[in-house]
Amino acid sequence: MLQASRGTVKPSGNFNASADAEVLHKAMKGLGTDEGAILQLVTARSNAQRQEIKAAYKTLFGKDLIHDLKGELSGKFETLIVALMTPPISYDVTCLHDAIKVGATVVTVKSENQPFWSHTANRVSLCRQKFLQKYDRSLEADVCGDTSGHFQRLLVILLQASRQTGIQQELVESDAQALFKAGEQKFGTDEQSFVTILGNRSTEHLRKVFDAYMKLSGYQIEESIQRETSGCLRDLLLAVVKCARSVPAYFAETLYKSMKGAGTDDNTLIRVMVTRSEVDMLDIRAEFRRLFACSLHSTIKGDTSGDYCKALLLLCAGDDA
């Protein structure tokens, strides 16, 4: 089954970009704004259709739709709607640039919202091209200017988007042994072995290595990474392992962490709901229910409010209570 078919947001049938542009214009003209009309329409169109609506809006009214939306909306609801109206690659690139610009690459890794380890190789390559085109400098250069050590090396490897493909059966046992010798069996830790193997092998291959590692050491690879590494390198290694095991489970955990406890990490919540709504949100919902014994829908409802909450629930598109 194609992963894209597991999204909650699908292209609208009988789509008419000009008619939708008219609806949005009507919702924003005059006194007051019809936020309900905006959120209902935007969350019921695919990103490709939203780009057509933006073009039709410019043709019909001679104005930029994003500019008008920013003028009429505010707060987290504005951030969410603008994110939904932005092409996916442009959205990734903006998020990456903002993280690097404020020197927050480490924080961004901890909030688990960078695209390096969850996107396809093609998507990462497109991000690199778009970043260079938009900011006239390479993403790799900016990342290297903001990071160091093994953490930097792993980020650079992931940025190359050149993971091996398939399972190299003859390397499964030796990779597991190399990881064991680099960590549990060594005084100190050979971080480079973790970086090289986790950064370059395919996800299918890594899952075999994790199984072999468990048989060899008696530990899950995550347990060893927790013990043997620290800081942002540990967070990044764990993110790579979790994505290799299951991308939907990784994002279910990311969403849970963004809402649990005091306060909400709205940047992460928005990013995941926007970027996964057309990809695998149905699977993320199922993993959320399995991992946390509550539904994503009920968690969002209990943690957010107003039009922001309504729009997020429409992206979630169902309660797995």
Side-chain angles (χ1 to χ4, degrees):
M1 181 180 290
L2 289 175
Q3 199 178 35
S5 69
R6 302 297 295 162
T8 48
V9 174
K10 313 280 187 184
S12 173
N14 302 315
F15 172 66
N16 185 316
S18 295
D20 284 351
E22 294 270 10
V23 170
L24 292 176
H25 184 255
K26 183 180 178 183
M28 292 186 284
K29 75 176 183 180
L31 292 173
T33 304
D34 186 350
E35 288 90 352
I38 294 171
L39 72 88
Q40 289 283 346
L41 189 147
V42 171
T43 58
R45 303 292 183 269
S46 68
N47 191 280
Q49 290 176 332
R50 294 177 205 132
Q51 304 317 308
E52 291 187 51
I53 295 168
K54 270 167 42 178
Y57 191 92
K58 186 75 172 247
T59 300
L60 288 170
F61 307 109
K63 295 192 286 185
D64 181 72
L65 177 55
I66 296 287
H67 179 270
D68 282 2
L69 286 168
K70 286 181 175 179
E72 295 291 330
L73 308 177
S74 62
K76 293 170 284 192
F77 180 56
E78 175 199 331
T79 304
L80 175 59
I81 294 298
V82 170
L84 286 166
M85 294 300 304
T86 305
I89 302 298
S90 295
Y91 183 58
D92 283 342
V93 165
T94 299
C95 290
L96 287 165
H97 178 258
D98 288 348
I100 295 166
K101 183 177 65 176
V102 297
T105 310
V106 173
V107 174
T108 307
V109 167
K110 286 184 177 177
S111 65
E112 301 182 315
N113 66 1
Q114 292 227 35
F116 300 148
W117 46 89
S118 60
H119 282 337
T120 62
N122 183 55
R123 179 79 170 262
V124 175
S125 295
L126 289 172
C127 282
R128 288 166 54 200
Q129 293 168 27
K130 184 73 173 178
F131 193 97
L132 180 61
Q133 176 189 339
K134 187 171 182 179
Y135 301 110
D136 199 30
R137 59 182 183 273
S138 75
L139 177 55
E140 184 177 324
D142 270 17
V143 165
C144 286
D146 202 43
T147 59
S148 61
H150 294 291
F151 174 59
Q152 179 192 92
R153 291 190 193 110
L154 181 50
L155 279 175
V156 170
I157 289 171
L158 295 171
L159 262 178
Q160 303 315 304
S162 57
R163 278 188 183 278
Q164 297 161 356
T165 56
I167 299 169
Q168 295 165 284
Q169 200 61 52
E170 71 280 5
L171 292 179
V172 170
E173 288 295 331
S174 60
D175 281 350
Q177 288 170 4
L179 290 172
F180 184 54
K181 288 175 184 174
E184 297 287 355
Q185 211 175 41
K186 183 181 175 69
F187 181 74
T189 305
D190 174 15
E191 290 94 345
Q192 188 57 46
S193 292
F194 282 86
V195 167
T196 301
I197 293 170
L198 294 180
N200 287 295
R201 303 291 193 256
S202 72
T203 53
E204 306 96 314
H205 181 90
L206 287 175
R207 287 194 289 272
K208 294 284 188 184
V209 172
F210 301 157
D211 290 343
Y213 184 89
M214 178 67 185
K215 290 177 184 172
L216 179 67
S217 68
Y219 301 115
Q220 295 287 6
I221 188 70
E222 291 92 334
E223 297 175 77
S224 294
I225 290 171
Q226 287 278 13
R227 272 196 299 272
E228 299 294 330
T229 62
S230 62
C232 49
L233 175 62
R234 178 186 62 200
D235 294 333
L236 182 53
L237 288 169
L238 287 172
V240 171
V241 169
K242 289 171 184 176
C243 275
R245 288 197 188 275
S246 168
V247 169
Y250 166 79
F251 280 114
E253 183 181 346
T254 301
L255 286 169
Y256 181 77
K257 285 179 178 178
S258 77
M259 292 181 279
K260 75 169 185 176
T264 303
D265 180 356
D266 291 293
N267 288 336
T268 297
L269 176 57
I270 289 169
R271 178 174 172 79
V272 176
M273 294 303 293
V274 168
T275 58
R276 309 311 294 189
S277 60
E278 291 184 56
V279 181
D280 55 359
M281 187 56 67
L282 291 171
D283 295 325
I284 291 169
R285 274 173 38 188
E287 288 294 332
F288 195 100
R289 184 73 182 80
R290 180 182 70 82
L291 290 168
F292 306 112
C294 57
S295 70
L296 176 58
H297 185 280
S298 64
T299 305
I300 290 171
K301 196 170 182 178
D303 212 64
T304 61
S305 61
D307 294 315
Y308 176 52
C309 176
K310 290 175 188 174
L312 287 172
L313 292 179
L314 285 171
L315 294 176
C316 183
D319 190 355
D320 310 296

